[in-house]
Amino acid sequence: MHHPRRRERIPPLVSDCAPLTARVITDPDPDGVPSPLRTAKVAWRSIEDGATHHLVLQDDIVLIQGFATQLHRAVSARPGHGISLYSHWDSPQNSYLVRRAVIAGWPFAPLSRSEWTPTQGFVLPVALARDLADYLAGIPDDVKDDDEMVVRFCREAGIPVVGTVPHLVDHRFDPTIVGHPGRFHATVFLPAPVLSADYWRLSASAEAALDRRCGSGEKLAYTIQLHRSRCLMRPLRPGTGEPVEHGFGWYWADHCGLIGVSAGDVVNGFDAFLGTRDPAPEPHWRLALEVWAAGYLLGADAVTVRRGEAAGVWPPAAVGAGLAQAAMTSWISSGLAGQDAAGITARGRSDLIATGLAGVSRGWLDGWRAEP
């Protein structure tokens, strides 16, 4: 999917797809009101004869090294799924679902059935791609956002959608054509990941455990968010009419008991961590506590995916090198308040990442010990 305003990006992007042969679908009305949906309608209809799967990429991305190889392996592991190659680093639901999969050591993250499906890179089996093209054709172009329509299509058609861990594409730090506010970056992206040939392995039990959070299989489904330097819980309430992007969350210390975590255990773990640090972490302790709490709650949540296994101390062998750090780095970069982000030093940022990962480890261990 291409807008002529970005024509200089096409040659390197097409080259990075090799040995896949990428075809460029240009916005049919580039001077009209900006509408990714308008171009998506054409792109999803442009299916190569004989193909088994259809991939649509947007032109404001960069690809990992070895993109075609990893894409083929991921699709081979999930041939009947919709597969997103990206998620936005602070989306209210999908970014946390991806981080949870990272910490649990699972290469696919089942994605939300209510939040927009990331379409910077999205793959469907050909039959479903044709159905999506038919579905989009009936929607007026002034709706604009194709990702909002894709999640509706997949939900109504009962198509399971997963995100790759790590992501195979990243969003460039550019303004969007439509003009969405904010900064855009992937949740977990490594430019040159080292992934074994069997990395995209199948584990039905792990995927089922992760997927329960996306449906109605848990009494209190939730995500954890770092927002303006505060750690928040966001209960998922599908069917209530609440917009997924609403700006309200529950402060972790007041409500973590609802998910079986003691606020005292979180704070005690933080105090013990500070006692091991010489020198002490550079950021103010209140900011460090928020990051620690987010990491702790993530770890305590992710260990439930491994219930029944000898989970032990985090990270388990299944957590790929660099993935957890990439996920924590993007969480902190997207979750700091503007004043904190502007004032933090390189050492301070590094200390926060270490604090968050130490929180994950402590939350994982405490959660494993508390398993029935």
Side-chain angles (χ1 to χ4, degrees):
M1 289 174 51
H2 169 56
H3 193 282
R5 191 186 305 172
R6 297 168 169 163
R7 61 177 56 87
E8 76 285 353
R9 302 180 184 176
I10 292 301
L13 189 54
V14 168
S15 175
D16 288 345
C17 287
L20 295 173
T21 302
R23 288 171 293 128
V24 179
I25 305 299
T26 301
D27 187 335
D29 184 16
D31 296 324
V33 175
S35 171
L37 177 61
R38 182 173 57 230
T39 313
K41 291 179 180 181
V42 184
W44 283 105
R45 184 85 52 197
S46 303
I47 298 173
E48 184 78 11
D49 291 341
T52 63
H53 291 75
H54 189 55
L55 164 66
V56 172
L57 298 170
Q58 297 183 1
D59 65 357
D60 54 355
I61 60 170
V62 293
L63 310 180
I64 63 165
Q65 292 183 24
F67 172 77
T69 295
Q70 299 304 332
L71 174 67
H72 182 269
R73 291 173 178 173
V75 170
S76 296
R78 289 293 179 275
H81 284 56
I83 304 177
S84 285
L85 311 184
Y86 170 90
S87 70
H88 184 41
W89 64 352
D90 67 351
S91 59
Q93 296 182 20
N94 284 333
S95 65
Y96 180 75
L97 296 173
V98 167
R99 290 187 176 97
R100 187 173 182 240
V102 169
I103 300 307
W106 180 235
F108 293 100
L111 297 184
S112 170
R113 298 180 179 93
S114 56
E115 185 176 280
W116 62 91
T117 295
T119 52
Q120 281 71 21
F122 190 57
V123 188
L124 281 172
V126 159
L128 297 177
R130 291 194 177 99
D131 290 344
L132 175 57
D134 292 342
Y135 183 88
L136 296 179
I139 300 170
D141 290 346
D142 57 10
V143 172
K144 297 184 181 180
D145 292 325
D146 59 329
D147 49 8
E148 296 277 10
M149 299 302 102
V150 169
V151 72
R152 285 176 48 183
F153 166 76
C154 291
R155 182 174 64 244
E156 293 169 9
I159 301 167
V161 176
V162 294
T164 58
V165 178
H167 298 329
L168 305 188
V169 309
D170 194 6
H171 200 297
R172 294 169 58 115
F173 271 177
D174 294 333
T176 65
I177 292 292
V178 176
H180 290 306
R183 300 175 299 150
F184 299 91
H185 194 62
T187 302
V188 54
F189 182 79
L190 298 173
V194 179
L195 306 174
S196 65
D198 64 347
Y199 174 79
W200 306 98
R201 63 203 177 282
L202 173 65
S203 170
S205 61
E207 185 153 318
L210 289 164
D211 190 56
R212 281 194 291 273
R213 184 62 53 85
C214 303
S216 55
E218 295 184 349
K219 183 177 180 180
L220 177 59
Y222 66 93
T223 67
I224 301 298
Q225 185 178 30
L226 270 176
H227 181 64
R228 297 181 181 175
S229 298
R230 300 177 78 233
C231 174
L232 304 174
M233 287 175 52
R234 292 178 63 100
L236 306 183
R237 290 158 39 91
T240 62
E242 290 181 356
V244 295
E245 64 272 25
H246 71 76
F248 302 100
W250 297 354
Y251 188 59
W252 71 270
D254 298 328
H255 294 93
C256 64
L258 296 174
I259 57 174
V261 175
S262 163
D265 287 345
V266 178
V267 174
N268 290 340
F270 178 66
D271 289 342
F273 168 73
L274 290 183
T276 68
R277 301 285 288 181
D278 186 20
E282 183 176 291
H284 190 278
W285 69 270
R286 291 188 183 276
L287 176 57
L289 175 58
E290 297 299 306
V291 172
W292 168 274
Y296 185 104
L297 296 175
L298 173 58
D301 188 10
V303 76
T304 63
V305 177
R306 297 286 178 179
R307 182 160 284 149
E309 301 179 17
V313 177
W314 184 85
V319 176
L323 294 180
Q325 180 155 348
M328 183 59 66
T329 299
S330 73
W331 208 5
I332 290 168
S333 295
S334 64
L336 293 186
Q339 183 175 358
D340 290 329
I344 197 168
T345 65
R347 183 202 153 187
R349 188 175 296 272
S350 177
D351 280 346
L352 277 183
I353 294 167
T355 299
L357 292 175
V360 168
S361 180
R362 180 62 180 258
W364 176 283
L365 180 59
D366 287 355
W368 175 58
R369 289 171 172 167
E371 283 187 6

